[in-house]
Amino acid sequence: MSLPESVGPLIRLPNHKAVTQGRDVNGVWVDPVPELITGKLETWMKAASVTPVRIPGYWMHKTGSIIKSGAPPTRGEKVLYHLHGGAYIRLSAHPSDVTANIARGILQHTVAIHRSFALEYRLSSSKPFEVDAPFPAALIDALAGYNYLVDVVGFAPADIVVAGDSAGGNLTHALTRYLVEYRGCIGLPAPPGSIILLSPWVDLGVSHEGPTKSSHRCIESDYIHPSKGGVNYAKDSFLGPHGLGAAVRNPYISPASLDSTLVIDFKGFPRTFIVAGGAEILYDQIITLRDRMVKDLGDQVTYYEAKDGIHDYLVFQWHDPERTETLKTIAKWV
C-alpha cells in the first residue's frame, strides 16, 4: 500500500478545529497551557512560530461503564491517555478512526482501566498544501491533554497510562521526556505512572536504513515503506524550519538515532512497555530504543515482540492471534 510522495487530505476527517459529534461520541474541548511551556520547548515553539491553541479530545468507555465523560476518577481508577499514529500528517483521535481500535482493545482486556482519552493534536502539513503545525505543535497539544487529565479531571499522574502508536509513540516519548526533564518547574504535573510504546517511530533520520536493515529487509512483509507512501512529505512537514538536522540530533524527535552527535539518556522515565512486530520496517530502530531504555531503566522496561506482526498491528482487528495475545499481555502488565 503506498501513496504519492506528496500527500495531503484525501478525505474529510475529524481534525483539531472542531469537536466532531456522532453516536456515542463524547468530545470535549481542551484548553491550551502556555504557562506550562518553558526551556527548550519554548525555544522550539518560537522558532517554528507555533502557538498553543484549544483542541478537541474524545473519551471512550469500557462496555457497560456508567462513568460519565470527564467525571473525577473513582478510587484506584487508572486512565488510558492515547496519542494516535499517522506519521504526524494523517488519522485522528476520533472514535471512528482505525487507531481507536487500540484503546478499545486495551479497555476490553484491562480490568483496571475503565475509560480512555484521546487527543486530537494538530497534524503537520507543508507545500504544496498549507504549511502548518510543525514540531513542536503536537507536543504542546499533548501537554495540554495531559494537564487536562491531571488538573481538570483530577487523575493522579501515577494513575495515567500514556499509550502511543507509531508517530503517537514518538509523541508519547517526547511528552514523557519533557515532563521528566522539567519536573518540578512552573507547576508542571509529574510524569505519568507508565507509558506504552506501540511500534514507535523513533528515528526520523536515516541511520537505521540500509540493505541489511529491517527498513529494507521487511519491505515485503510490511505495508509501509521507508521512502514511499508520503514518508518524506511527513518528515518535511513535521520538522518544518528545524530541518533534517533535528531528525539526527534532537532527542525529542529521534531518540533512537544512531548519529554520534545525539546525546540522550532515559533516567527518570516511568515503567515502559514496548511493542514491536518482527515483520515491520521500524523493527531495528525500536530495538535500539529498547536497548537504550533498558540500559538506564533495567527491569522497568518490558519488551514484547510479535514475530509475524506488521507495523502498528494492534490497529487491525484481523491481526490475530498476535493482537489479542499482545493486549492480554499489556493488561497483565498494567
Side-chain angles (χ1 to χ4, degrees):
M1 180 178 74
S2 64
L3 295 171
E5 281 300 296
S6 295
V7 299
L10 301 179
I11 58 176
R12 185 174 296 278
L13 295 173
N15 59 40
H16 72 276
K17 296 180 180 179
V19 173
T20 302
Q21 299 295 351
R23 183 176 179 181
D24 297 325
V25 172
N26 300 298
V28 298
W29 283 106
V30 174
D31 290 328
V33 285
E35 70 278 8
L36 299 183
I37 299 170
T38 190
K40 290 178 284 190
L41 182 55
E42 184 176 18
T43 299
W44 295 326
M45 180 183 74
K46 291 179 178 178
S49 300
V50 170
T51 57
V53 298
R54 190 175 71 150
I55 42 175
Y58 297 94
W59 287 97
M60 286 202 308
H61 293 218
K62 188 189 293 287
T63 301
S65 172
I66 60 173
I67 301 174
K68 294 182 179 180
S69 294
T74 59
R75 185 178 182 85
E77 181 190 359
K78 292 182 180 292
V79 66
L80 179 70
Y81 181 30
H82 181 219
L83 300 171
H84 71 85
Y88 283 115
I89 60 169
R90 58 173 78 95
L91 303 183
S92 168
H94 195 269
S96 63
D97 192 82
V98 65
T99 58
N101 286 333
I102 292 173
R104 288 193 184 94
I106 292 175
L107 288 172
Q108 178 185 351
H109 292 278
T110 308
V111 174
I113 298 178
H114 294 270
R115 49 182 165 161
S116 69
F117 183 72
L119 190 80
E120 195 73 276
Y121 62 83
R122 284 171 284 180
L123 300 180
S124 302
S125 60
S126 59
K127 294 180 179 179
F129 307 99
E130 178 187 4
V131 176
D132 192 31
F135 175 85
L139 176 53
I140 290 169
D141 296 344
L143 177 62
Y146 186 78
N147 184 73
Y148 164 77
L149 290 175
V150 175
D151 283 353
V152 178
V153 182
F155 278 96
D159 290 329
I160 299 176
V161 181
V162 185
D165 61 291
S166 194
N170 183 293
L171 183 54
T172 296
H173 162 267
L175 171 64
T176 305
R177 179 166 295 279
Y178 181 71
L179 294 171
V180 168
E181 290 187 354
Y182 292 94
R183 185 169 188 165
C185 297
I186 59 171
L188 268 180
S194 56
I195 61 175
I196 302 174
L197 306 177
L198 306 167
S199 292
W201 189 24
V202 284
D203 183 3
L204 274 65
V206 296
S207 69
H208 284 88
E209 294 186 14
T212 64
K213 304 290 187 178
S214 62
S215 60
H216 289 68
R217 190 175 66 245
C218 295
I219 285 177
E220 296 301 320
S221 58
D222 209 352
Y223 62 94
I224 61 174
H225 193 281
S227 60
K228 298 179 181 179
V231 67
N232 292 327
Y233 170 82
K235 290 180 180 180
D236 289 343
S237 299
F238 179 68
L239 295 171
H242 308 288
L244 293 177
V248 173
R249 297 182 293 272
N250 190 324
Y252 281 72
I253 293 173
S254 292
S257 171
L258 297 175
D259 193 273
S260 61
T261 61
L262 176 70
V263 178
I264 192 169
D265 69 64
F266 295 88
K267 295 172 184 177
F269 265 61
R271 58 195 294 264
T272 301
F273 194 101
I274 302 173
V275 172
E280 68 171 300
I281 67 169
L282 300 189
Y283 179 82
D284 286 350
Q285 59 180 263
I286 297 170
I287 295 302
T288 297
L289 178 74
R290 178 201 67 183
D291 293 347
R292 288 178 175 176
M293 296 192 78
V294 168
K295 180 181 178 182
D296 285 334
L297 302 175
D299 61 8
Q300 288 291 96
V301 177
T302 298
Y303 174 72
Y304 185 93
E305 180 178 317
K307 180 181 177 181
D308 296 322
I310 60 176
H311 178 66
D312 211 359
Y313 64 90
L314 291 187
V315 163
F316 305 109
Q317 293 179 311
W318 50 262
H319 206 309
D320 266 334
E322 293 85 2
R323 182 177 185 270
T324 297
E325 290 172 351
T326 305
L327 289 169
K328 287 181 177 179
T329 305
I330 289 173
K332 292 178 181 178
W333 176 82
V334 170

